[in-house]
Amino acid sequence: MTTESTIDAGTTLHPLDDPVRGSLRGAHRRFATWAGRIGRYDPEVAGFIGHPPVLSDQDWADLATLLGPGGSAGLRGGDHAPPPGWTVLDRLASVQMDGSALRVADDPDLEVLTAADVPEILALIARTQPGPYAPRTIEMGTYLGLRMDGRLIAMAGERLHPPGWTEISAVCTDAEFRGRGIGSRLVRAVGARIRARGETPFLHALARNTTAIGLYETLGFTLRQRSALTLVQAPARP
């Protein structure tokens, strides 16, 4: 299960319609494990699953193989109906935002984070809860951080890499430093690096996170599409 064994019928009209499989087939190929049309990241890197819009019986079987008994994952789309034995854990509304008009700016006060910073990164993620971040997520792209008195207090970086696009993610700031525009600085600086490569930034957010969505809109992001995430759990037995 190391290569993609089949290609689903039909053509994705836009790279952002299937950003996970676009990443796993391209820039993040080294992190990919495939079973039929279903791909997943190395769990130490990210928990994302790439899949067709509609899953066949074989797709569900392949997903169960990748997840293992009782394993769980988030599926793009809110209308998935798993076969018997599967459990739907939750359905979450989300938005995808296009950063074509993002106003970018380099920031010399920010530093490039490395693997040596991972313990501090994970501690910051635990305090601020911007979303999932695994021990090797830093390998997905460049992450920038801001320190105060030697302490990492804010960060943002690059996650999914479908062709021509890069996702900005893990935007977070410690509570006592919020309201100072640090998040905006980080997003613009990460965006500047993306633009320098000739790519376009984009991002995802939960629809209920209206504060973050409002901030991104002030920076130039526009709503591309509304979607949902279906959290499912595989049968406990094969």
Side-chain angles (χ1 to χ4, degrees):
M1 295 190 301
T2 58
T3 60
E4 188 176 10
S5 59
T6 59
I7 302 295
D8 48 294
T11 301
T12 299
L13 299 179
H14 192 285
L16 297 190
D17 290 341
D18 196 352
V20 176
R21 286 196 299 175
S23 299
L24 291 173
R25 287 167 174 160
H28 287 166
R29 183 182 298 271
R30 66 192 183 279
F31 303 131
T33 300
W34 291 92
R37 303 192 299 173
I38 311 297
R40 76 170 300 176
Y41 274 87
D42 182 321
E44 287 289 299
V45 175
F48 298 119
I49 298 290
H51 58 87
V54 179
L55 276 69
S56 67
D57 289 344
Q58 184 60 54
D59 292 329
W60 284 107
D62 290 336
L63 178 57
T65 297
L66 287 176
L67 295 179
S72 60
L75 302 180
R76 175 174 43 88
D79 55 355
H80 297 289
W86 287 78
T87 302
V88 174
L89 301 175
D90 204 354
R91 300 184 194 270
L92 304 171
S94 63
V95 298
Q96 185 184 76
M97 304 190 76
D98 182 331
S100 297
L102 172 65
R103 295 180 293 279
V104 303
D106 289 317
D107 193 324
D109 293 332
L110 305 179
E111 66 177 74
V112 176
L113 301 175
T114 71
D117 299 305
V118 167
E120 281 189 279
I121 290 172
L122 295 178
L124 177 62
I125 294 291
R127 294 194 301 270
T128 57
Q129 298 292 313
Y133 198 98
R136 293 176 54 206
T137 298
I138 196 168
E139 297 177 27
M140 298 179 77
T142 300
Y143 283 82
L144 302 179
L146 180 66
R147 294 185 183 278
M148 291 286 186
D149 299 322
R151 169 188 162 200
L152 183 66
I153 59 96
M155 64 173 283
E158 303 171 356
R159 194 165 63 176
L160 298 177
H161 285 262
W165 296 76
T166 299
E167 181 189 25
I168 297 178
S169 182
V171 183
C172 57
T173 303
D174 265 328
E176 63 265 41
F177 296 99
R178 292 173 188 165
R180 305 184 187 184
I182 295 173
S184 297
R185 290 169 55 190
L186 283 159
V187 170
R188 287 173 172 160
V190 174
R193 287 173 172 263
I194 294 169
R195 286 269 180 79
R197 296 197 301 266
E199 298 176 349
T200 305
F202 75 105
L203 56 79
H204 293 100
L206 291 177
R208 67 187 182 217
N209 194 353
T210 55
T211 299
I213 292 170
L215 169 63
Y216 298 140
E217 288 175 336
T218 66
L219 297 178
F221 282 91
T222 57
L223 176 67
R224 180 178 182 269
Q225 64 178 356
R226 296 184 181 275
S227 184
L229 188 69
T230 303
L231 304 181
V232 298
Q233 184 174 38
R237 295 182 179 180

